Amino acid sequence: YKRQRLRVRTAAIDSTGLECSSASAYFVRRRKKVGEAWKTVTYHRYPKLGVVCDVESHFIFAYEARRGPKPDITEFRSTVEQALQRIRMTMILADAGYDSEMNHAFARDKHNIRSVIPPKHGRPTTKPATGRYRRQMQVRFNCGAYRQRSQVETVMSMLKRRQGAHVRARKFHSQCRDLRLMVLTHNIM
């Protein structure tokens, strides 16, 4: 018995970092202003959540829990493959952090998914982008479709507003479990 996968017209991918502490942003900002008496707060490692969601229903199909800071390019393939186990998608939207010829080729050639990613990764230049798909994005960028990418930002905002912008766990394994529960709770809500 082969289960039929749900067909999604447009999905979007993005990632966000979460706090390891429940201290408010106001407290952190005030603490920095005190000067020599307090140590300035710097976050070297934090939990990072990458998601693939439907732009119409805001339902999260796949997530990737990692430790940041880390470039988004490396998360694209694994997160999209995870989503493709559950759904079939026609188009995927991503911000410039996911821009690479390998990611375009993975989506278009291997899975026949139209990828819309602005070719702005790296230093600004007037030269044409390298690679077939990146050059194609530079010449014929689909602004109408790309406008829907803001819906994944809405999903990230919903997660942080409803459930908090921090995870309570201290160890990485427990932080991943907390992020998984955040995604599950979002989908149930």
Side-chain angles (χ1 to χ4, degrees):
Y1 172 69
K2 189 174 179 181
R3 187 171 59 101
Q4 202 58 268
R5 289 180 296 163
L6 176 69
R7 186 150 195 77
V8 174
R9 192 172 43 163
T10 307
I13 183 172
D14 200 11
S15 64
T16 187
L18 288 100
E19 301 290 330
C20 295
S21 157
S22 59
S24 71
Y26 173 74
F27 173 76
V28 173
R29 200 169 43 248
R30 286 278 309 219
R31 186 172 160 186
K32 279 186 175 181
K33 290 182 182 178
V34 172
E36 298 291 324
W38 290 81
K39 180 182 169 189
T40 58
V41 177
T42 55
Y43 297 109
H44 297 286
R45 300 170 85 186
Y46 54 85
K48 185 177 179 185
L49 176 67
V51 300
V52 173
C53 71
D54 184 7
V55 297
E56 292 176 10
S57 67
H58 296 164
F59 191 84
I60 297 173
F61 297 115
Y63 79 96
E64 190 80 30
R66 299 216 175 176
R67 186 167 277 164
K70 197 174 216 177
D72 291 340
I73 291 174
T74 59
E75 297 174 359
F76 185 83
R77 182 175 285 198
S78 60
T79 314
V80 170
E81 277 181 341
Q82 191 183 77
L84 288 171
Q85 291 175 359
R86 296 173 180 89
I87 60 165
R88 292 179 302 161
M89 62 181 102
T90 308
M91 183 185 337
I92 187 141
L93 311 171
D95 62 2
Y98 293 96
D99 176 39
S100 78
E101 187 65 22
M102 284 184 354
N103 289 344
H104 280 291
F106 170 76
R108 290 173 181 245
D109 296 339
K110 190 170 180 185
H111 295 290
N112 201 24
I113 301 169
R114 208 170 105 215
S115 57
V116 179
I117 307 170
K120 296 182 180 179
H121 190 73
R123 286 191 274 170
T125 181
T126 56
K127 295 178 184 177
T130 57
R132 174 182 166 203
Y133 296 120
R134 292 188 72 230
R135 204 171 310 116
Q136 188 179 44
M137 285 287 113
Q138 204 171 32
V139 174
R140 297 182 311 203
F141 187 70
N142 189 348
C143 288
Y146 187 71
R147 283 189 192 109
Q148 293 181 325
R149 196 200 70 80
S150 63
Q151 296 303 317
V152 73
E153 300 287 348
T154 302
V155 169
M156 296 300 188
S157 175
M158 289 165 67
L159 279 168
K160 289 181 175 182
R161 267 185 295 116
R162 290 177 174 173
Q163 301 176 48
H166 67 281
V167 291
R168 298 189 195 299
R170 295 285 171 221
K171 302 225 188 252
F172 178 65
H173 177 72
S174 300
Q175 288 174 350
C176 291
R177 185 184 62 226
D178 285 357
L179 293 175
R180 185 178 332 129
L181 288 172
M182 282 179 85
V183 169
L184 180 63
T185 305
H186 169 80
N187 284 343
I188 291 171
M189 288 175 141

